Amino acid sequence: MNSVVVAASHPSVERLRAWLTPLELSLLGAIWGASFLFMRVSAKDFGPLALVEVRLALGSLVLLPFLWRARRQFPARLWPKLALIGATNSAVPFMLFAWGAERAPAGIGAIANAMTVLFTALVGFLFFGERIGGRRAVALCIGFAGVVVLASGKTAGASVGLAVAAGATASLLYGIGINLVRRHLTGLPPAAVASATLGTSTLLTLPFALAAWPRHPIPLQSWLSAGMLGVLCTGAAFVMYYRLVARIGPGRASTVTYLIPVFGVLWAWLLLGEVPTWNMAAAGALILGSVALSQRGR
């Protein structure tokens, strides 16, 4: 046992961790930022319901080994709660973001997604008795101002307000779901919880997805994008995220929130030619600034 301790504290190991953590955070931000690109590409061919069904099913399959390993910790009485949290934290937000991706540039959803941190604090304050403090209250106001700025923008002469509203609502649901997970699923392996909630969401969404399944052939490019969305951006990304949480803690791991909008806008610009607007830049600065303010000192 002493040899393990010595090895873990060896300077070369510490140096490895020093550069590995920022690298993995950047990679995770790039992957989750790319999810909005993949939605933008595939949503028009699949439609929101069918696309989300593919994403949920593939993500849950990637994470299934973690659930199987911890299956004894998931009694039958727990599954209704998992289904509710899955709908709140996965199925409905995914649909809203996919719906928005049909109607607005990928960067819009990526920027709106950054509101999750603020909505998590707001829901905790309103419904779970958490203190919010003056700084976080100011951060919320700045963040909401950013959403208003984002919603007031236009792309090719068309308003993006409805897509922004869908993204903000999805982020609110994420905030609710995170609080529910904290209070009802604490102590369970996070990757197994993710698999369970994604799996129940897959079953809940299935009838609606089958009813709305496209009648036209779906191009290969859209199938590949949907596959990447499920396997890489949902399943593999969750595994990477929980590894980071175990190594550096949830507070530091949550800094990936700052990178997702940056990569989301960047991928859309480089690969889809969706040039960011001044509204997007101003809104992104307000929202990310408010997130930074709310997290200061935490």
Side-chain angles (χ1 to χ4, degrees), residues 199-214:
T200 55
S201 295
T202 302
L203 296 176
L204 290 171
T205 308
L206 182 59
F208 306 100
L210 290 176
W213 197 267

Side-chain angles (χ1 to χ4, degrees), residues 9-92:
S9 60
H10 194 277
S12 62
V13 176
E14 295 303 321
R15 283 196 296 271
L16 177 65
R17 289 179 176 176
W19 66 261
L20 184 61
T21 294
L23 181 64
E24 288 190 341
L25 280 169
S26 299
L27 180 58
L28 185 59
I31 291 171
W32 272 338
S35 67
F36 297 93
L37 165 73
F38 294 133
M39 280 189 281
R40 181 70 168 155
V41 170
S42 54
K44 64 182 183 295
D45 292 312
F46 276 93
L49 287 167
L51 177 59
V52 168
E53 178 65 19
V54 173
R55 179 180 186 178
L56 290 168
L58 291 175
S60 63
L61 285 174
V62 171
L63 293 168
L64 188 58
F66 297 94
L67 178 59
W68 179 256
R69 190 187 309 163
R71 61 191 182 279
R72 290 188 177 85
Q73 296 177 253
F74 290 79
R77 58 181 171 75
L78 188 61
W79 284 94
K81 194 176 293 184
L82 289 164
L84 174 62
I85 292 174
T88 306
N89 205 34
S90 300
V92 180

